[in-house]
Amino acid sequence: MAIGLFWNDRVHFDQHDWKMKFFWVGNNTGNLVFIRALKNIFDPVIFPLWDVDSGAFRDDPAVTHYITTELIWLTENTVYPHVWKMLSGIGDKPLVPISVGVHSRTDSTKINLHPDTVKLLRTISERAILGVRGEYSAAVLERLGILNLKIIGCPSLYYGMDDAFRLEKKPFHEGMKTAVNFRTFYGSLRPAECEFLTYAANRRMPFAEQTQQELSLENCQNNLPQYEYFSAWLKEQKRVFFEIDPWVEWLKQFDFSMGSRFHGNVLAVMNGIPALTMVIDGRMQEMTRLFRLPTMDAKDFSMDKPLSYYYDLADFTEFNAVYPKRLAAFRDFLRRNGLTEAMKA
C-alpha cells in the first residue's frame, strides 16, 4: 500500500531566487513543519501540485489513498478548483484532507463558505473522514451538513508518532538563549507588538522569519527611529530556512522560543524546546487549545516583564497530560480512513 501526498517538493533551493523559494514552500516556510511530519508518518509518494494544475497529474496504480493539506484555510469566498482536479484525477480513491480549518474574523459558527467549497467538502466526505483542525472548524462544517469528520489538530505535532513524548523544562537561568518569531509584517503594529519587537531587539534575540514580507515604515506608522531600530536588529539576527533540517539544527542551540508563529513554536516543542505562543487569531487559538499548548494573548505582552516571567508561562503540564489522547485520536483517524503508518527502521 502506498499513500500519495500532493505537495510541491523541492530538495534543493540553490537555483531559485528569493521569490521562487517562497513559492515552492507555499509562501510560508511554516508549511515545511507539517510536511515534514506527514513525510515521517507516511513516507508518501509526492505528487506536485503544479502537475494537478497543469493537467499533467496521472494516478499511480500503486497508490491506494491520497492526502492533501490544501484545505487548511477555508474562508467564505474561497474556492478550490485544483482540489476538484485532484478528485477527478484519482478516480474513486479516497482523498483524505488533513487539518481542514475555517478562518474567520469572528467567533461565530454562523458563517457561510462558498457553495462550491461546501459541495467539494461533501463530495470528499463521501469517500473519507475529514481531519479537522479543531472544535470551531468542526462546528462550522457540521452546521453546513458536513458530518463525516474528526478533530485531529495539526499533523506537525505528531512527528515521530511517539506515545511517550513529553516536554520537560529545565529550571530558568539568566544565561538561557531565546529565539523569537513574529506574525507576517502587514498592517500597523499594535502597541503590544511594538513592545515585543523592542524587547527582542534590545536583547539581540535571534529571529526566525517565515514569509518574504519585509518590515516597512508603514508597519511602524511612519515612526522612522523605530523602523530603523527594528530593521538594524532584523538585518543582524533574521534567519529564513527553506529546508527543515537546518532550521531544526539552528533551533537546538536555544533554550526557549516565543512569538506569534504557530509552526515555528511547534518545531521548537517537537525538538524538546519550550515555547510560548502569542495568540493572534482564531486559527492559533483553536490549535493551541486542542493540544493545551501554553499561550498568552499577543496584546498582553509587556516589555516590563523579565524573560523568566514568559518562560514560566510556558507550562507544559497540561500538554503532557493530553498529548497521548490526541495521538490516540489521530491514530484512530488514520485507521478509520484505511491509512497506515510507515514502517520505521
Side-chain angles (χ1 to χ4, degrees):
M1 169 182 171
I3 295 171
L5 169 64
F6 290 105
W7 171 249
N8 287 336
D9 209 16
R10 274 292 181 270
V11 177
H12 301 290
F13 288 85
D14 295 343
Q15 70 272 33
H16 299 298
D17 63 21
W18 189 250
K19 184 177 180 179
M20 285 304 297
K21 286 178 180 180
F22 276 104
F23 170 79
W24 293 123
V25 298
N27 294 312
N28 185 339
T29 62
N31 293 332
L32 293 170
V33 182
F34 63 75
I35 292 297
R36 176 191 76 147
L38 292 173
K39 287 181 176 180
N40 179 266
I41 295 165
F42 298 115
D43 190 20
V45 180
I46 305 296
F47 294 90
L49 286 165
W50 65 81
D51 281 0
V52 174
D53 289 334
S54 68
F57 166 73
R58 295 294 180 270
D59 174 40
D60 184 337
V63 172
T64 59
H65 297 69
Y66 289 86
I67 56 179
T68 180
T69 61
E70 291 297 290
L71 299 170
I72 64 175
W73 193 267
L74 301 177
T75 60
E76 288 186 292
N77 298 315
T78 310
V79 293
Y80 298 87
H82 60 299
V83 179
W84 279 115
K85 289 181 181 179
M86 291 177 193
L87 278 174
S88 176
I90 66 176
D92 59 358
K93 296 177 182 179
L95 177 66
V96 183
I98 300 286
S99 205
V100 177
V102 177
H103 186 69
S104 172
R105 295 183 181 276
T106 75
D107 294 330
S108 173
T109 60
K110 296 180 180 180
I111 67 169
N112 293 309
L113 300 180
H114 193 284
D116 188 70
T117 298
V118 174
K119 180 180 179 182
L120 173 65
L121 292 168
R122 287 176 178 165
T123 302
I124 292 173
S125 70
E126 292 172 359
R127 305 187 199 177
I129 300 168
L130 280 61
V132 178
R133 190 169 67 202
E135 293 179 354
Y136 172 75
S137 294
V140 172
L141 297 183
E142 287 171 347
R143 189 185 66 81
L144 295 172
I146 301 159
L147 306 177
N148 193 23
L149 53 82
K150 187 174 181 68
I151 297 171
I152 61 170
C154 179
S156 58
L157 283 133
Y158 302 123
Y159 179 82
M161 300 292 283
D162 182 2
D163 296 276
F165 179 79
R166 302 290 185 276
L167 195 145
E168 304 297 338
K169 285 176 61 178
K170 298 179 290 186
F172 179 83
H173 63 83
E174 291 298 334
M176 282 185 162
K177 297 176 65 178
T178 301
V180 295
N181 51 68
F182 188 69
R183 66 168 177 85
T184 306
F185 288 115
Y186 67 89
S188 296
L189 297 172
R190 297 168 183 167
E193 293 177 329
C194 289
E195 291 208 21
F196 172 71
L197 293 173
T198 302
Y199 190 89
N202 286 349
R203 292 161 177 76
R204 319 312 296 169
M205 289 177 173
F207 179 89
E209 178 60 276
Q210 291 182 204
T211 74
Q212 61 182 313
Q213 190 73 37
E214 300 280 352
L215 176 76
S216 70
L217 183 58
E218 289 73 22
N219 295 146
C220 300
Q221 299 185 63
N222 296 314
N223 183 330
L224 184 60
Q226 183 182 74
Y227 168 72
E228 290 179 338
Y229 185 60
F230 291 163
S231 294
W233 161 62
L234 291 170
K235 183 177 180 180
E236 175 188 297
Q237 297 293 346
K238 184 174 77 172
R239 295 292 304 274
V240 181
F241 299 95
F242 295 100
E243 296 179 36
I244 202 74
D245 290 341
W247 193 354
V248 170
E249 288 306 307
W250 180 79
L251 274 171
K252 285 181 177 179
Q253 67 183 297
F254 300 104
D255 304 289
F256 184 41
S257 171
M258 65 175 177
S260 47
R261 278 291 180 184
F262 178 80
H263 287 112
N265 289 326
V266 164
L267 187 61
V269 169
M270 299 312 291
N271 283 279
I273 301 162
L276 178 64
T277 300
M278 298 175 185
V279 174
I280 59 172
D281 59 25
R283 167 183 168 272
M284 293 178 70
Q285 187 177 64
E286 189 174 24
M287 292 192 290
T288 54
R289 183 191 295 128
L290 179 67
F291 289 95
R292 300 297 191 267
L293 286 163
T295 64
M296 67 173 293
D297 195 308
K299 66 178 173 53
D300 294 332
F301 186 88
S302 170
M303 62 186 297
D304 295 331
K305 301 288 187 181
L307 184 61
S308 59
Y309 171 82
Y310 295 109
Y311 186 79
D312 288 344
L313 286 181
D315 184 346
F316 281 81
T317 303
E318 291 190 21
F319 170 85
N320 289 337
V322 80
Y323 186 77
K325 300 174 185 176
R326 296 292 173 262
L327 184 54
F330 183 64
R331 282 204 166 102
D332 180 66
F333 165 77
L334 300 185
R335 179 187 59 79
R336 290 169 61 193
N337 269 311
L339 298 169
T340 56
E341 299 173 44
M343 297 294 293
K344 300 297 190 293

